[in-house]
Amino acid sequence: MNDAQKLQVTSSIMKLFPNYNQHFNLLLSLNEMDLTKTQFKALLITANEHTLSMSKLADRMCISREQSTRVINPLADRGLIHREIHPGNRR
């Protein structure tokens, strides 16, 4: 497929799915903010919760607890979320 055909297909998709354009723009914004889709999903989930354990976050995101830690740590390092270690459950 040449570049002109790719452009035509992209244009057709955007006409068929107008909301796709919003999602595409969101993905571009995430790129500019240096966020992955998974990190953005974690931010959305945690924004609506006062406290949320890592295991509950992992369950809501349908990922492993280890993956949730890898997602959350960079966000905490950047100050985008506040992470507290539970004093009775430090593993």
Side-chain angles (χ1 to χ4, degrees), residues 23 33 35 37 48 57-58 66 70 73 76 80 85 87 89:
H23 296 293
M33 292 184 289
L35 289 173
K37 289 183 281 184
N48 295 317
L57 175 65
E66 294 81 14
R70 285 193 294 270
N73 282 343
L80 296 174
I85 306 299
N89 191 13

Side-chain angles (χ1 to χ4, degrees), residues 28-71:
L28 289 177
S29 296
L30 292 178
N31 236 2
E32 291 170 4
M33 292 184 289
D34 196 28
L35 289 173
T36 66
K37 289 183 281 184
T38 306
Q39 288 172 328
F40 183 68
K41 184 177 180 180
L43 286 173
L44 288 176
I45 291 170
T46 57
N48 295 317
E49 300 287 336
H50 182 65
T51 59
L52 188 65
S53 70
M54 291 297 283
S55 59
K56 286 183 182 178
L57 175 65
D59 290 344
R60 289 192 186 168
M61 293 183 68
C62 299
I63 60 176
S64 71
R65 290 181 182 104
E66 294 81 14
Q67 287 174 309
S68 68
T69 300
R70 285 193 294 270
V71 169

Side-chain angles (χ1 to χ4, degrees), residues 10 14 18-30:
T10 303
M14 289 186 161
N19 289 337
Y20 178 79
N21 195 27
Q22 286 178 305
H23 296 293
F24 183 72
N25 288 335
L26 174 63
L27 290 177
L28 289 177
S29 296
L30 292 178

Side-chain angles (χ1 to χ4, degrees), residues 85-91:
I85 306 299
H86 189 281
N89 191 13
R90 176 80 172 124
R91 294 181 196 172

